[in-house]
Every structure is written in structure tokens, then in C-alpha cells.
Amino acid sequence: MIQDMIRQYKEVCQKDQNVILDNYVLKNGVYFKLDINKPIEQIGEDEFLIVNNREDNVSKPELYKWFKVRDYYSGVLNDDMNKAIDLPAKKIHSTNYLTLFIKKDVFPNSGDKKALTIDDLRKRIEGYFNALEKGEEKFLEIYVGSNYTKSRLTREEKEEFLQTYFKSEVEYIRSTNRVDAIKRHKQYLLDRLCEIVAFVNKFSDKHEFSNYIKIFFNQDINIYEKESKIYTIPRIFNVNDYNLFTNQGILGLPSNNITTNSKKPFLLLRTMQCHVPFRSSAIDVEVTKNFLTWLKKQDYKGIKLDYDYKFDGTPTHKRENAYFNVHIDQSGVIDDFDNIPFDVPKLEFKFENVLLMTKKSEDGINRIVLPTEIIDDFGFMSI
């Protein structure tokens, strides 16, 4: 079903990448734009942004756009903290060396009981950057569950695997520019951590904001895009046990709307030689993730989506068109759907209280339920 739904979305995105970002919304919090050559105290009015999605206004539209595209490339995949860089603590919610995302209530000296000490945050930052330096190892983990496990791979086999499937990514990971950049940004944060904490706490005394404290280093968007690929590709699949390696690339089980791990083995297909329902390429999994992000912005109670919808902000369903009827829960998971090949005509129902059922009114007197009311398992519901 999801594969059918994303087909049109994928075609639209190939023509216009802005479709994805147009539907992306920053989370509540304060956003800082840092220059690695300057102390944080020199941040000006045009280098910070406070986001409050309850208020439908943006005072700095150009700055909002600058943060939005970089935030999109820096967040944890599917908001699943099990895929965070900072494991097992999960205190740092960013995914590259150009950003540092922390919840306001765990930020040092925030006054909250859950707040980290400066020493705790220093350790978390050190571990975070150490993990970023080992990006190549995450790509090797994709091999786990295939013909060889990582522990059995020889050096030559590892190199052959990386050069076959991830040549450009590995070249970038190993580049002197990236290695040096990680060290510089790590040292900047560690050397100036006390000043950063003091500045943010002083800022929060003067400005009201909630949820996140997000720090971005001023860098070209293409670097953010490259770092996003380094983070996303090894984590895009549900688990690595079901990966297939073909001449066209790697196929794996998506993590969108499906879970198959050691804790939930009952979700596997036990009556087939293939234990998982389907496999997708990394590109299709990424498209599916973006499509579900778009879907979350719609009415979660239900949406009618035409087969040929252009994702251009117009009504998602036009009369007489074939469509998908989709319902998602508040967490963004599709919990019901149907494929409607033709538009269903509007049916007129007339309800009658044939059983003469009664309902106690506010004055305590039982009255016969009106034909405009129906009864379900939970009581009376007007229509």
C-alpha cells in the first residue's frame, strides 16, 4: 500500500525537491547560528531565532529558511531516538559535527531536575564526536546478517564492500577536510562550553522559549547534505539482518510503519521462505520517510489522496477521481487504509428509533431518543 502511495510522490519530488521542505516545520525552541571563528557572545539579532508553532508568524523569514533546510538534514531519523548518535544516553539529538541539539530541560543550569552538569555534557559531546569520527564502521554494520558478519570480514572484503556500494561516501569520510573539521568543531565546543552554557542561560532569562536549544555552525548547505547521507544511509533500514546486495544496490526492510526485531519476532512472516513482507532501496525508503512526514501535516483523522495528486497545496481529492483513503494516528503511523478505484457517491441515511430507546435528560426525566441521534458502544452520539 505504501509503495503504491509513494510512487506519485517520488515522481513529484524528482521534479521539485522543494516539495519536501515546503512541508517541513521547525520544532519549538531557540536556534543559534554560530561562526566557528567567533565566540558565542558575539551572536547578533540576525543570528538567533525563537520558534513557537502556536503563534502563526515568523519574524525572520529568511533566517527561518536558513535554519529549516539545515535542521532537515540534521535531525534523528524518523524521530527515533534509538537511531541517535548519542547512545545510550540520547541527550544530544543532532546527527552531525555542525550541530548540537539539546532539550531545554536537560541543558546545564536550566534549573530542571533532569538537567546535566557541565561535566556530564562535556562527556556527552566527547562521545558524540568520537562516534562521528567512526562513520565508516556504521557502513560496515550494513553487512551484518548477510553472507558474512562484520567480525568475519577480512580487510580486503571490507574494502571491497565499501568501494562497491559506498565509494563516494567513504571518500568523503576519509577526506582530510572532514577529519580536520570534526576536530575543530569538537574543540570549539569543549573549549568554550562554560561560555556557551552561561550565554544560553542568560539568553533564556531574557527570552521565553520551550523545548529545544539548537546550535548550528554557519556552513554551506552542501556540507550539511553530505553529513546527512553519512548519518542516514547506515540507519535507513529497520534492521540489517534482511539486507540484500544486488548489482543495482542494497535492498532492505524499511523502518516506516513496520518493526521486526528480536523483541518482536512475531511480526515476521513464518509461513514463507521470505520472512519480511518487502524490501526497498535506500532511495525509496528515504522517499517514504519524507512522504510520511508530509502525511503527518494533514488531518490525522483521515485523508483522501488522489492517485495523481501533485502535492502542490491544492485539495488532495477531487470528485470522480480514484483515491487512497488513509487514516493515521497521532504518532503518524498509518493504522487504516483503503484503495478506492472510483469515487463513492454520497449516501443519504435516515435514522429511526425503532426500539423507542430512551435517554435521561438533565432534569432527570427519561425521553425517547430523537431520530437525529444514534447509539454506539460508548453512549449517545449526535450526527
Side-chain angles (χ1 to χ4, degrees), residues 101-271:
F101 300 170
I102 304 177
K103 286 277 192 175
K104 182 181 180 181
D105 56 3
V106 301
F107 197 77
N109 302 332
S110 64
D112 195 282
K113 293 181 179 178
K114 296 186 290 184
L116 298 170
T117 66
I118 292 181
D119 286 341
D120 288 336
L121 181 55
R122 188 182 300 278
K123 292 177 181 178
R124 298 263 52 84
I125 291 174
E126 287 178 343
Y128 173 74
F129 275 88
N130 289 341
L132 291 173
E133 291 172 349
K134 300 176 182 177
E136 191 172 316
E137 293 183 9
K138 294 299 296 184
F139 281 86
L140 288 172
E141 289 180 11
I142 297 176
Y143 227 158
V144 175
S146 62
N147 295 330
Y148 305 94
T149 63
K150 188 174 69 171
S151 60
R152 290 171 54 189
L153 287 174
T154 64
R155 179 179 299 179
E156 290 75 17
E157 288 171 331
K158 291 178 183 179
E159 188 65 20
E160 181 183 359
F161 169 73
L162 293 173
Q163 293 298 325
T164 300
Y165 295 103
F166 307 111
K167 183 177 181 179
S168 61
E169 288 81 8
V170 170
E171 286 179 356
Y172 172 68
I173 290 173
R174 294 172 178 176
S175 66
T176 303
N177 287 340
R178 183 177 188 268
V179 173
D180 291 344
I182 290 178
K183 291 179 180 179
R184 288 199 313 273
H185 288 76
K186 175 183 179 181
Q187 206 60 45
Y188 178 97
L189 291 172
L190 293 178
D191 290 347
R192 301 176 181 269
L193 187 58
C194 291
E195 289 87 346
I196 292 173
V197 170
F199 174 83
V200 172
N201 283 302
K202 185 178 179 180
F203 181 93
S204 61
D205 290 338
K206 296 180 179 180
H207 303 84
E208 185 177 348
F209 65 90
S210 62
N211 201 17
Y212 271 106
I213 296 168
K214 295 192 174 186
I215 295 174
F216 295 76
F217 283 97
N218 189 4
Q219 184 57 268
D220 292 340
I221 191 60
N222 66 310
I223 304 299
Y224 277 88
E225 291 176 355
K226 288 181 179 180
E227 286 299 317
S228 178
K229 291 180 66 176
I230 299 303
Y231 163 76
T232 302
I233 291 175
R235 300 169 176 83
I236 197 71
F237 297 122
N238 188 299
V239 289
N240 290 315
D241 295 28
Y242 309 107
N243 293 343
L244 294 178
F245 304 92
T246 70
N247 293 333
Q248 288 72 40
I250 298 175
L251 301 177
L253 180 68
S255 56
N256 301 306
N257 272 85
I258 187 169
T259 301
T260 51
N261 54 39
S262 58
K263 296 180 180 178
K264 299 177 182 178
F266 50 88
L267 294 178
L268 297 175
L269 304 178
R270 296 299 186 182
T271 59

Side-chain angles (χ1 to χ4, degrees), residues 17 21 24 26 31-36 47 63-76 85 93-101 128-129 132 169 172-173 177-178 181-182 185 189 214-233 286 289:
Q17 278 287 83
L21 288 172
Y24 187 78
L26 293 178
Y31 293 68
F32 295 110
K33 179 180 177 182
L34 257 64
D35 185 332
I36 195 170
E47 294 172 317
L63 190 59
Y64 187 97
K65 182 179 179 180
W66 189 94
F67 281 123
K68 182 170 76 168
V69 64
R70 286 161 178 78
D71 187 78
Y72 171 78
Y73 288 118
S74 305
V76 173
I85 299 289
H93 293 193
S94 47
T95 59
N96 56 51
Y97 70 87
L98 295 167
T99 52
L100 187 69
F101 300 170
Y128 173 74
F129 275 88
L132 291 173
E169 288 81 8
Y172 172 68
I173 290 173
N177 287 340
R178 183 177 188 268
I182 290 178
H185 288 76
L189 291 172
K214 295 192 174 186
I215 295 174
F216 295 76
F217 283 97
N218 189 4
Q219 184 57 268
D220 292 340
I221 191 60
N222 66 310
I223 304 299
Y224 277 88
E225 291 176 355
K226 288 181 179 180
E227 286 299 317
S228 178
K229 291 180 66 176
I230 299 303
Y231 163 76
T232 302
I233 291 175
E286 180 73 11
K289 176 182 76 71

Side-chain angles (χ1 to χ4, degrees), residues 350-359 367-373 375 380:
K350 181 181 180 182
F351 294 96
E352 295 184 7
N353 188 358
V354 179
L355 300 178
L356 300 179
M357 300 187 70
T358 61
K359 175 182 178 181
R367 64 174 179 82
I368 295 177
V369 177
L370 299 175
T372 55
E373 295 177 323
I375 303 175
F380 294 89

